[in-house]
Amino acid sequence: AQSVTQLGSHVSVSEGALVLLRCNYSSSVPPYLFWYVQYPNQGLQLLLKYTSAATLVKGINGFEAEFKKSETSFHLTKPSAHMSDAAEYFCAVSDDGNQFYFGTGTSLTVIP
Amino acid sequence: DAEITQSPRHKITETGRQVTLACHQTWNHNNMFWYRQDLGHGLRLIHYSYGVHDTNKGEVSDGYSVSRSNTEDLPLTLESAASSQTSVYFCASSGSLAGGSSYEQYFGPGTRLTVT
C-alpha cells in the first residue's frame, strides 16, 4: 500500500528565507510524485510533478523538488519565501498516474 | 477554457436527508474522483470512476454513492446525511479520452457541507 508522510503540519519562515517542506513516501513501484498548493477557500493547484524523468523538478512560483529514491523523499524547496507563498501544501504519490494518495498537508506561514 | 466546477459551493442540511453534490468537467477527462478534506486527515478518496458506467470505492466510501452516465459529470450522493459527513468535498479529474494518464489531477473549487 502506498502512503505519504509530511513532516511538520505547520512551518513558519521569514520573508526571504529558504522554504523546505518535507515529504516521504512508501511505494512498491517507482512512483509518480506531486506537490499541490491550496490557498484559502480554493481547490488544489498543481505546483510540480515527478514522472520518472529528471530527478530535480522545477515547478511554478519558483518552487522545486528533488526525487531521492534512496531516501524515499520528495522535499519541496524555494530559495526565498514570499508573502504570497503562505498556503497549505500537499504531497501526493501514485503508482499508476490514476489513483493518488495524499499527505495530511503542511501549512506554511511567512513572517514579514 | 476547460474547467471543473462544483455545485453548490456551500450546503447546510439536516441529519438523515439525502444530499447530492454535483461535479462537472469540460476537460474531456475519462477519470474523475471525489475526495473529502478534514483537518488532520488531508484528502481522502471517497469514490472514483475511470469512465462512463465505471465506479469504484475509495478509502472512505461508506454512506456515499456515485454514478457516471456521461463523461462530464460525477455526482456524489449522501444517502442519509450524518454529522460525521460534515466536511469540504473536492472533485477532481485526470486523463484523456484517448487513453493513458496525464499524471496530474485537476481540482474543482470544493463544496463545504454542514450536516446539522
Side-chain angles (χ1 to χ4, degrees):
Chain A
Q2 298 176 30
S3 65
V4 174
T5 301
Q6 291 185 239
L7 296 175
S9 58
H10 298 275
V11 171
S12 294
V13 299
S14 298
E15 191 175 14
L18 172 72
V19 175
L20 171 60
L21 305 183
R22 299 179 186 274
C23 173
N24 289 88
Y25 68 91
S26 66
S27 175
S28 58
V29 298
Y32 303 115
L33 294 158
F34 307 82
W35 275 99
Y36 281 84
V37 60
Q38 183 183 31
Y39 298 103
N41 300 312
Q42 295 186 25
L44 277 70
Q45 177 185 356
L46 182 71
L47 268 180
L48 50 80
K49 61 184 177 185
Y50 167 77
T51 57
S52 74
T55 56
L56 182 62
V57 180
K58 295 186 183 299
I60 63 172
N61 301 336
F63 285 93
E64 63 182 35
E66 186 172 8
F67 170 64
K68 291 187 176 181
K69 183 177 179 180
S70 62
E71 299 178 8
T72 60
S73 69
F74 191 57
H75 301 330
L76 181 70
T77 61
K78 182 175 180 177
S80 176
H82 191 273
M83 295 300 293
S84 61
D85 295 327
E88 188 88 13
Y89 291 80
F90 292 94
C91 183
V93 63
S94 176
D95 66 358
D96 61 1
N98 289 319
Q99 196 168 152
F100 283 30
Y101 297 87
F102 285 86
T104 53
T106 297
S107 178
L108 176 66
T109 300
V110 182
I111 303 167
Chain B
D1 289 346
E3 62 179 353
I4 179 166
T5 57
Q6 295 183 234
S7 62
R9 294 294 312 279
H10 302 270
K11 174 77 175 177
I12 300 174
T13 191
E14 296 178 345
T15 300
R17 290 192 178 268
Q18 183 181 79
V19 177
T20 296
L21 308 183
C23 174
H24 179 82
Q25 53 99 1
T26 58
W27 289 99
N28 222 19
H29 284 159
N30 50 347
N31 304 335
M32 296 185 72
F33 307 84
W34 273 105
Y35 296 90
R36 59 177 290 174
Q37 184 179 27
D38 304 288
L39 198 62
H41 291 279
L43 279 79
R44 291 181 290 176
L45 184 63
I46 305 172
H47 282 285
Y48 59 101
S49 168
Y50 289 156
V52 177
H53 302 310
D54 174 74
T55 61
N56 305 279
K57 294 182 178 180
E59 177 188 358
V60 290
S61 60
D62 287 349
Y64 303 93
S65 64
V66 294
S67 62
R68 186 90 178 271
S69 59
N70 58 51
T71 301
E72 296 80 18
D73 299 288
L74 186 70
L76 176 71
T77 297
L78 287 68
E79 303 294 344
S80 177
S83 58
S84 60
Q85 295 177 308
T86 292
S87 186
V88 180
Y89 291 86
F90 287 99
C91 181
S93 68
S94 71
S96 68
L97 282 182
S101 173
S102 67
Y103 305 127
E104 61 192 76
Q105 293 188 5
Y106 296 81
F107 282 80
T111 294
R112 185 174 296 275
L113 176 68
T114 302
V115 182
T116 62

